[in-house]
Amino acid sequence: MSDEKLAAGEKADKRARPAVGSDPALDDSVAEVEVEDTFIRAVDEGRRRIFRRMVPLLATGFVGGIDVGTGVLALLLVEYTTHSKLLAGLAFSVGFIALALARSELFTEDFLIPVSTVIARQAQFRGLIRLWIGTLVGNLAGGWIFSWLIIAGFPSLRSQAIVSGSYYVDLGLGIRAMVLAIIGGTVITLMTWMQHGTEQTSGKIVAAVTGAFLLGAAGLNHAIVNSLLMFAALNTGHAPFGYLQWAETAGWAAIGNIIGGVGLVTLLRIVQVPHTLKAEREHPAPGVPFHE
């Protein structure tokens, strides 16, 4: 074959387009490569989180509560000073930037990463529950302590803390509170997916600012964020609600967060890469204690 014909053949191959109905498992040109890479990173990160020992697990959740607490401080300070929820929501992103860069964890972040790991059969469901409980306890403990520090150190913010914390209790346990919780879970899980879709620090920061702004400015119902704001109000000693109402409000929010985060983000993203999921399920990584 002449060099001209060979070159023409190579050129034709480059111009070849995948046939309708091509299998992504066999034809890379139709595969959702970026989604696949993000999914695999999430599965690997989830294995690390799920198999973490209890003390580091609790410590990571504890500092995660403190990191979000820095955002709560910024939110209260800016809203008290400017009376602007938009600016306060933007200021709140300080806490989520800290989460992203300091490698701490939030309970609702684990609606994506370890869930993907369990669905891929790289870990067991009981490990996910252990992670959720440990991270939640750590977040709440760290958040309560930091909210106490906020109120003790900034007495002028007490009135704003009561207003901000009472907002979530006033939502009640009805459909509006649930819808705001579903949206909140969707936003935070999408933020997590975006952060795992890039290895650039700038991209992680953009995702953190976007998610935090929507949570803070729109008043979305997020189990950890509303808990810290309610803790701040409770720590003033003048909140028009008690810890029982906090537990009911945060619990209702957590249910909605799970529905939004797992149902509207995690499961739908995984459906985008069925062949990658199948490969992960058929070939567990070495050391994974999974049995039929």
Side-chain angles (χ1 to χ4, degrees):
M1 183 180 295
S2 65
D3 292 341
E4 292 80 4
K5 290 183 178 180
L6 182 60
E10 291 177 349
K11 188 175 182 179
D13 288 338
K14 290 180 180 179
R15 289 181 176 179
R17 301 172 69 183
V20 175
S22 296
D23 186 353
L26 303 176
D27 188 349
D28 290 339
S29 64
V30 298
E32 298 281 357
V33 178
E34 293 82 3
V35 180
E36 291 174 351
D37 291 344
T38 302
F39 173 67
I40 292 173
R41 282 197 292 269
V43 170
D44 292 342
E45 172 69 10
R47 289 182 64 236
R48 184 186 67 80
R49 292 189 183 187
I50 287 176
F51 295 115
R52 184 186 292 138
R53 294 184 181 276
M54 183 55 71
V55 172
L57 190 159
L58 291 172
T60 304
F62 189 91
V63 295
I66 292 175
D67 290 347
V68 176
T70 64
V72 167
L73 171 58
L75 182 149
L76 293 174
L77 181 62
V78 171
E79 189 164 4
Y80 172 76
T81 304
T82 67
H83 305 292
S84 170
K85 289 191 69 66
L86 293 180
L87 291 177
L90 185 61
F92 179 60
S93 63
V94 168
F96 278 69
I97 292 173
L99 276 173
L101 301 186
R103 300 291 296 175
S104 52
E105 289 174 23
L106 201 59
F107 165 62
T108 48
E109 285 186 294
D110 287 333
F111 294 162
L112 169 69
I113 299 169
V115 171
S116 299
T117 305
V118 171
I119 292 175
R121 298 174 73 178
Q122 300 290 331
Q124 295 175 304
F125 182 72
R126 66 186 182 187
L128 173 64
I129 298 302
R130 171 181 172 273
L131 175 65
W132 277 3
I133 293 174
T135 304
L136 177 61
V137 170
N139 286 166
L140 294 176
W144 189 94
I145 290 175
F146 200 82
S147 68
W148 182 88
L149 293 174
I150 291 173
I151 298 304
F154 299 89
S156 61
L157 297 181
R158 293 182 178 184
S159 59
Q160 184 60 54
I162 292 173
V163 171
S164 298
S166 297
Y167 163 78
Y168 298 99
V169 177
D170 292 342
L171 284 176
L173 305 179
I175 184 64
R176 180 166 182 254
M178 176 56 65
V179 169
L180 290 177
I182 291 173
I183 298 174
T186 301
V187 167
I188 193 67
T189 308
L190 178 59
M191 182 198 78
T192 307
W193 180 271
M194 292 166 63
Q195 289 177 334
H196 279 74
T198 180
E199 295 182 355
Q200 297 181 348
T201 300
S202 59
K204 295 180 187 296
I205 292 176
V206 168
V209 172
T210 302
F213 173 75
L214 289 174
L215 286 176
L220 299 181
N221 200 3
H222 183 276
I224 302 301
V225 175
N226 70 20
S227 289
L228 266 64
L229 286 169
M230 284 188 283
F231 287 160
L234 288 165
N235 281 321
T236 66
H238 300 288
F241 58 87
Y243 280 96
L244 177 59
Q245 287 175 291
W246 156 73
E248 293 174 343
T249 302
W252 190 242
I255 294 172
N257 293 162
I258 292 173
I259 293 173
V262 177
L264 298 183
V265 179
T266 302
L267 295 183
L268 293 180
R269 298 291 173 176
I270 290 175
V271 168
Q272 290 183 274
V273 289
H275 61 285
T276 304
L277 174 62
K278 180 181 179 182
E280 289 290 308
R281 290 171 64 89
E282 291 178 348
H283 304 287
V288 174
F290 186 87
H291 301 286
E292 294 290 349

